[in-house]
Amino acid sequence: MQQEPDTKTSRFSITVPPETLAAIRIAEGIPQLADLIGTALTTWGAIGTTDPISLGDIHQALTDAADQLPQLLQDITLLRDAMLAQDNV
């Protein structure tokens, strides 16, 4: 007699490769980065005409964009290395 597994207590785990997670973060991060830089560029007026509040907004948008760059670089490098390793198999 075969017993059916108790689905209430069965647990499964799925291992997601790090390069897959990196690709997901890249796909989310690039549009955010573009939006932040776009915000900074559209807020910027001619030299000497941007008001102090707008300058603060520009500074914040560029700071937020710069904060995202290290993680994006790390993820892009991880993805590149995984692709190179796969090509060398």
Side-chain angles (χ1 to χ4, degrees):
M1 183 167 140
Q2 193 175 26
Q3 290 184 335
E4 292 294 318
D6 182 4
T7 57
K8 294 180 182 176
T9 59
S10 295
R11 295 181 190 235
F12 299 97
S13 65
I14 298 173
T15 303
V16 179
E19 56 270 14
T20 301
L21 296 174
I24 292 167
R25 285 190 300 267
I26 292 167
E28 293 174 348
I30 295 292
Q32 291 173 359
L33 183 66
D35 286 343
L36 290 167
I37 293 172
T39 297
L41 293 176
T42 57
T43 306
W44 194 307
I47 295 175
T49 63
T50 306
D51 63 55
I53 293 175
S54 293
L55 286 174
D57 293 343
I58 293 167
H59 179 267
Q60 186 62 54
L62 291 176
T63 299
D64 292 346
D67 289 345
Q68 288 188 359
L69 289 175
Q71 182 64 51
L72 281 171
L73 179 59
Q74 183 179 358
D75 289 337
I76 290 168
T77 302
L78 176 68
L79 192 57
R80 180 204 60 199
D81 292 347
M83 289 179 176
L84 289 174
Q86 183 177 354
D87 285 344
N88 292 329
V89 172

